[in-house]
Amino acid sequence: ITQGKLTLQLAPVELTSLLRRSIEVVDRHIEERGQKLSITLETEPIYVVGDTTRLEQAFGNLVNNASKFSPKGGRIDVRVHIDHGEHGAEVVVHIKDKGVGIDPSTLPHVFDLFRQGAATSPHHVSGLGVGLALVRRIAELHGGRVNVSSAGTDQGSEFVVSLPVLATADTELTHH
């Protein structure tokens, strides 16, 4: 990550099925914690130019974090929609939880490598501080971005990943 050597194998990727696979990896953990997962997807297939493995890693990390930082019996919402805004046509993926939230002083730094929030909640779970930095880098390498919002400690959080939509799945791509 730090040396910019994260390489991608780019191809047209159908995002809905990719998201389903990403969530399946974390599904057992969600079930064990008695959490409720709500998924709202577009009805039509949505294609992006992407690296399947890296995108699954990014979305899996975000859903896993939503589960990890939410209490037993908590709720996690995953919502996907298309936005035709200032950045052109984008698929926007919202991953929202009702968990420990993020302290306002930590919010600007959540994507910094090796940076973690303080243990401000009894539900706090530590990690290496690499996952969100990796998520941000993967989104950027795909021409997208990731944002986070939280009303504060114990108020939950929402991560929003935006990626450019591929006009058609038949477009020729160059590999990077």
Side-chain angles (χ1 to χ4, degrees):
I1 299 170
T2 59
Q3 296 177 351
K5 293 184 178 180
L6 187 64
T7 58
L8 302 179
Q9 300 297 316
L10 298 175
V13 176
E14 201 285 304
L15 198 67
T16 302
S17 57
L18 182 141
L19 279 170
R20 287 184 196 282
R21 287 190 307 273
S22 300
I23 292 168
E24 282 175 11
V25 172
V26 183
D27 206 33
R28 192 176 120 242
H29 187 255
I30 291 170
E31 285 179 19
E32 286 173 356
R33 295 179 52 85
Q35 295 167 332
K36 307 292 182 244
L37 178 64
S38 168
I39 305 170
T40 306
L41 303 171
E42 291 283 327
T43 55
E44 296 295 317
I46 302 168
Y47 288 90
V48 299
V49 175
D51 181 311
T52 300
T53 301
R54 295 298 183 191
L55 287 172
E56 284 179 359
Q57 183 179 20
F59 289 116
N61 182 292
L62 291 173
V63 174
N64 185 57
N65 280 354
S67 174
K68 183 167 58 171
F69 292 102
S70 291
K72 291 185 177 186
R75 182 181 171 94
I76 301 163
D77 295 309
V78 177
R79 185 172 53 89
V80 178
H81 65 91
I82 299 291
D83 181 43
H84 298 280
E86 63 183 84
H87 298 283
E90 293 182 310
V91 58
V92 183
V93 181
H94 300 259
I95 299 169
K96 186 174 185 173
D97 64 64
K98 304 285 188 194
V100 299
I102 302 169
D103 184 85
S105 66
T106 304
L107 205 55
H109 306 287
V110 296
F111 296 108
D112 295 350
L113 191 58
F114 304 119
R115 177 73 180 244
Q116 297 176 291
T120 56
S121 166
H123 304 293
H124 180 78
V125 180
S126 65
L128 297 175
V130 174
L132 293 178
L134 183 61
V135 168
R136 177 179 62 185
R137 187 69 185 129
I138 289 170
E140 290 171 349
L141 287 171
H142 284 85
R145 62 198 176 287
V146 60
N147 297 301
V148 61
S149 62
S150 176
T153 304
D154 293 325
Q155 300 297 310
S157 59
E158 181 175 22
F159 287 83
V160 180
V161 178
S162 302
L163 299 169
V165 172
L166 180 61
T168 69
D170 300 325
T171 304
E172 291 224 5
L173 302 172
T174 57
H175 292 278
H176 294 283

